[in-house]
Amino acid sequence: MSTPSSASTPARRHDIDALRALAFALVILYHVAMYYVADWHWHLKSPHAAEWLQAPMRALNLWRMDLVFLVSGLAFGLVRRGQTVPGLIRLRSLRLLLPLAFGMAVVVPYQAYAQGVANGLVAPGFGAFLLRYHPGSHWPAGAFDGWEVGITWNHLWYLAYLWSYTLVLALLLPLAESAPGRRLRAAFTGLRGGALLVLPVLPLALYSVLLWPHFPPTHNLIHDGWLHAVYFTVFVYGYWIGLDAGLWAELVRLRWRTVGLALGLLVLYLTLLALAQQHGMRWARLPLRVLADGYLWTALLAILGWAHHRLNRPWRWLPWANASVYPWYVLHQTVIIVLVVWLAPARLGPVVEPVVLVVGTVALCGGLTAGVQRVGWLRPLFGLARTMRA
């Protein structure tokens, strides 16, 4: 079995940087599409909602956040080098909790306001809404997502979850870096061929059997047992993968096999799902969930293999992307909601409007991020170092 090593890998893994940026770009496009996909809950919904979007959105939804958490696990392992456990916790807490608090107080409220107004349960007037927007405030039932608490973090739930997993793994580092912990990690990074395709799926399938029926996704941190189990596991997988040269070489070797297997499992899943929905076969829900776990893992393996094969080079856009991805993430959903509210009265139609929405989101996120990057006190509020690196 191979052991974690960076001897044959570059000091800066450009594919991991690129994968991180592309994963968050996918999250942004996904949230634009959520405005248009029919029958799926989101804060606002377009009159041009389309059922045909459900299949491609489902194909992404089954692994998109798992990829983000796996890449976050990779980043945790890289940040860990040269840091004490208390230093690591302090560093990651500042990077995650400060933007979360700022985002909940300043960036996210307009999302809740727009949703409440659209639902007819909040009176127009953003200023008056802000005066009532605080924990413990009483809102009409269903006014906006999070009305029960009085405030919401909406898309920023990822920061709270990532901080929680970071804290747990940091506290477990003495065990993870002990002799038994290193043997377990070596066993994982030593997986090859079919073992790599199958064994890591088994915990995910077990969670689906034991937890999924009882803990539907909530994103409220407290009652999200199934998602916590899945996301923390793939977070640890990312930490274990690290820069192990042997495992990355195996991911590249398997890239055609994993992409073919992932596509095959996706077609099988969507076909069986359609049949189950058509014939009301509720008994098929759990087998379909386990099948989705297999698709999830093979998709992640394919993405990692192809990213390492194609993206591990110093792309010109990478420095800009690395410096921009965090502010874009914090800003993007509020920007989308603002543009939706502005664009809806224009009735641009189901083709022009989505194009304008995507272009406008990119332009506004880019412009706002450029401003944030130039203001020292704003930078930490968006997850950036206080000063720009030379």
Side-chain angles (χ1 to χ4, degrees):
M1 292 184 179
S2 63
T3 56
S5 170
S6 60
S8 60
T9 54
R12 186 79 187 188
R13 279 289 297 275
H14 305 295
D15 56 325
I16 295 175
D17 288 339
L19 194 55
R20 174 174 173 265
L22 294 174
F24 279 99
L26 185 62
V27 169
I28 294 172
L29 289 175
Y30 181 89
H31 284 153
V32 171
M34 280 297 292
Y35 178 56
Y36 294 101
V37 62
D39 302 325
W40 287 22
H41 173 76
W42 202 57
H43 314 291
L44 300 176
K45 297 303 292 188
S46 170
H48 308 298
E51 290 188 6
W52 67 265
L53 275 172
Q54 292 180 5
M57 289 287 282
R58 197 179 300 276
L60 294 176
N61 195 43
L62 290 173
W63 54 259
R64 64 183 182 91
M65 288 308 301
D66 306 88
L67 174 63
V68 171
F69 279 108
L70 187 143
V71 173
S72 298
L74 286 167
F76 176 93
L78 299 178
V79 172
R80 163 58 176 154
R81 294 181 296 181
Q83 289 281 347
T84 64
V85 171
L88 180 62
I89 292 175
R90 177 181 177 277
L91 176 67
R92 300 309 288 169
S93 295
L94 287 173
R95 186 82 185 274
L96 297 171
L97 295 184
L98 191 56
L100 175 61
F102 174 77
M104 290 179 65
V106 178
V107 179
V108 169
Y110 185 80
Q111 298 180 35
Y113 167 74
Q115 185 179 6
V117 171
N119 289 340
L121 298 173
V122 170
F126 188 46
F129 173 84
L130 288 177
L131 292 176
R132 293 184 55 198
Y133 186 74
H134 55 77
S137 181
H138 296 288
W139 299 97
F144 55 85
D145 295 350
W147 65 271
E148 307 95 326
V149 181
I151 62 172
T152 181
W153 51 36
N154 279 354
H155 68 291
L156 299 182
W157 65 267
Y158 159 76
L159 299 179
Y161 281 47
L162 179 57
W163 179 81
S164 301
Y165 305 156
T166 298
L167 179 64
V168 170
L169 186 52
L171 294 176
L172 291 175
L173 279 176
L175 178 61
E177 295 174 352
S178 67
R182 292 196 300 272
R183 285 195 294 269
L184 181 60
R185 181 174 185 172
F188 181 87
T189 57
L191 294 174
R192 298 291 183 266
L196 182 58
L197 297 175
V198 174
L199 293 182
V201 181
L202 298 182
L204 307 181
L206 184 64
Y207 305 150
S208 290
V209 172
L210 298 180
L211 298 176
W212 178 71
H214 309 290
F215 296 96
T218 64
H219 296 155
N220 68 6
L221 189 64
I222 305 301
H223 306 102
D224 226 0
W226 172 62
L227 279 185
H228 281 317
V230 173
Y231 289 156
F232 183 70
T233 297
V234 295
F235 180 72
V236 172
Y237 285 174
Y239 164 70
W240 278 343
I241 290 170
L243 301 181
D244 186 89
L247 182 55
W248 282 100
E250 181 69 356
L251 292 172
V252 172
R253 187 183 74 85
L254 293 175
R255 68 189 185 280
W256 284 109
R257 192 181 310 176
T258 51
V259 76
L261 184 57
L263 290 174
L265 289 173
L266 175 62
V267 170
L268 179 61
Y269 172 82
L270 293 176
T271 302
L272 294 178
L273 177 64
L275 290 173
Q277 291 174 338
Q278 182 179 354
H279 298 288
M281 298 184 297
R282 292 187 59 83
W283 60 266
R285 293 178 70 243
L286 187 56
L288 281 168
R289 179 59 256 169
V290 174
L291 179 60
D293 294 326
Y295 163 63
L296 180 163
W297 181 242
T298 53
L300 293 182
L301 293 178
I303 291 167
L304 293 176
W306 280 101
H308 191 49
H309 180 62
R310 292 293 188 183
L311 298 179
N312 195 22
R313 62 193 71 178
W315 301 94
R316 290 187 177 183
W317 50 270
L318 264 186
W320 169 84
N322 285 331
S324 302
V325 63
Y326 214 145
W328 278 58
Y329 166 71
V330 173
L331 292 166
H332 80 276
Q333 188 160 287
T334 297
V335 167
I336 293 170
I337 296 292
V338 167
L339 289 174
V340 161
V341 172
W342 287 353
L343 291 173
R347 299 182 180 181
L348 299 177
V351 176
V352 174
E353 184 187 85
V355 173
V356 174
L357 184 55
V358 171
V359 173
T361 300
V362 171
L364 272 178
C365 284
L368 291 171
T369 296
V372 166
Q373 290 171 337
R374 286 165 172 77
V375 180
W377 64 268
L378 270 179
R379 289 174 59 86
L381 301 178
F382 287 87
L384 303 176
R386 182 171 291 276
T387 57
M388 297 179 65
R389 293 181 180 178

